[in-house]
Amino acid sequence: MFRNNYDNDAITFSPQGRIFQIEYASEAVKQGSVTVGLCSKTHVVLVALKRNAEDLSSYQKKIISVDTHLGLALAGLASDARVLSNFMKRQALASKMTYGRAIPVERIVDQIGDRAQANTQNYSNRPYGVGLLVAGVDDTGPHLFEFQPSGMTQEMVACAIGARSQMARTYLERNLEAFAGCGKEELVTHGLKALKESLNQDKELTVENASVGVVGVSETEGGKRKLEGFRLYDGEEMAPWLERALAGEGAKQEGEGEGQGESMDVS
């Protein structure tokens, strides 16, 4: 496993300018179950596929609420995500106690990025083996950020991380222009369809293995914006959205089948 002793710690560069422990941490993210995030002008949606280690165990929690205006979804080591989410909760609480307002989304994402990057400057630490999608709303509107084990953070319109996430990314890229004008329901439907694209053919989305987190803003009669706090949807609450997403997929496949039949008749 050793690459000429350049992967013994997270502070030593290889002659090619690589830090192998960060690459190993990124591989841990790629082994995690897929997580999808989408952002519109009014809402941010997180959709995650849950796994259970064995038939006798419960499904692992993939979406965590940080504050009333903020939440995250994870791919990778859940224990590392728990450490980072607890740090974010402390920072959100400190902002309310010190400044009397909710912490801006970009600021808290920068703070966890700095925390992760500091691990590449100390011999005794290791990178966090988890990737995060952070969804939140502040004075500037809804935001979706991606966090990587290297400490790099970037704002996204839509994103997918985890195993087989490339297929979900392809769906997101194909429908990217439609997201900005979507409401809550349409955004969740797009997220579930993107999640379904990443599944193996022998697996299906169910109320047990899928979860959704939503946060956004809505306009009141006076034209003022009202915060729709971060909410996690799980279990039977997922049923109507799953039926809508899977029904649309079934209609699409049926239409393709009819089209193929007609072309055979013509030939």
Side-chain angles (χ1 to χ4, degrees):
M1 285 295 294
F2 292 103
R3 301 189 181 184
N4 298 324
N5 293 327
Y6 288 111
D7 62 354
N8 290 339
D9 54 65
I11 65 173
T12 304
F13 286 91
S14 74
Q16 293 78 30
R18 299 161 64 184
I19 301 179
F20 289 119
Q21 283 205 10
I22 291 180
E23 295 183 14
Y24 299 159
S26 298
E27 284 299 319
V29 177
K30 294 178 183 177
Q31 297 300 320
S33 56
V34 65
T35 298
V36 177
L38 305 94
C39 183
S40 72
K41 294 179 179 179
T42 57
H43 291 83
V44 191
V45 167
L46 299 174
V47 185
L49 179 68
K50 297 185 291 186
R51 283 179 181 169
N52 56 341
E54 54 179 312
D55 293 338
L56 298 177
S57 66
S58 61
Y59 283 90
Q60 187 182 62
K61 189 176 181 180
K62 293 277 292 181
I63 300 178
I64 302 172
S65 175
V66 175
D67 200 353
T68 54
H69 73 298
L70 187 67
L72 62 86
L74 66 102
L77 298 179
S79 54
D80 284 1
R82 186 169 61 249
V83 171
L84 288 173
S85 66
N86 288 338
F87 170 76
M88 294 172 71
K89 289 176 182 179
R90 291 195 299 270
Q91 296 303 310
L93 181 60
S95 176
K96 287 185 176 180
M97 294 181 65
T98 305
Y99 303 109
R101 67 186 181 96
I103 190 169
V105 182
E106 185 174 8
R107 180 177 300 171
I108 196 169
V109 172
D110 286 343
Q111 288 176 345
I112 61 171
D114 292 341
R115 186 182 178 93
Q117 200 277 331
N119 285 355
T120 66
Q121 297 177 331
N122 296 295
Y123 182 87
S124 59
N125 294 343
R126 67 162 176 82
Y128 293 107
V130 67
L132 303 177
L133 295 180
V134 181
V137 174
D138 54 28
D139 294 338
T140 59
H143 299 281
L144 173 68
F145 285 88
E146 179 191 10
F147 162 85
Q148 298 180 11
S150 63
M152 190 184 81
T153 60
Q154 54 187 344
E155 187 166 6
M156 309 290 286
V157 177
C159 186
I161 57 176
R164 297 175 61 86
S165 59
Q166 182 57 50
M167 298 180 183
R169 258 189 236 111
T170 301
Y171 175 89
L172 297 175
E173 291 169 358
R174 200 165 55 235
N175 297 274
L176 184 62
E177 296 180 358
F179 297 153
C182 285
K184 172 182 171 182
E185 301 294 330
E186 295 88 350
L187 214 57
V188 172
T189 301
H190 277 299
L192 290 172
K193 287 181 177 179
L195 196 65
K196 187 178 184 302
E197 290 288 326
S198 67
L199 295 180
N200 291 322
Q201 293 183 350
D202 58 339
K203 289 187 177 181
E204 293 184 358
L205 282 180
T206 65
V207 294
E208 287 83 16
N209 67 7
S211 58
V212 170
V214 182
V215 64
V217 291
S218 59
E219 289 192 3
T220 61
E221 295 180 356
K224 295 183 179 180
R225 297 196 311 170
K226 178 183 177 183
L227 172 67
E228 296 180 11
F230 187 87
R231 182 180 175 188
L232 175 63
Y233 295 85
D234 229 339
E236 291 301 325
E237 292 179 311
M238 292 286 300
W241 282 331
L242 282 173
E243 290 177 4
R244 189 180 303 113
L246 298 179
E249 192 69 21
K252 179 181 176 181
Q253 292 178 357
E254 183 179 347
E256 289 176 353
E258 291 177 355
Q260 290 174 358
E262 291 174 0
S263 62
M264 291 175 64
D265 293 338
V266 172
S267 62

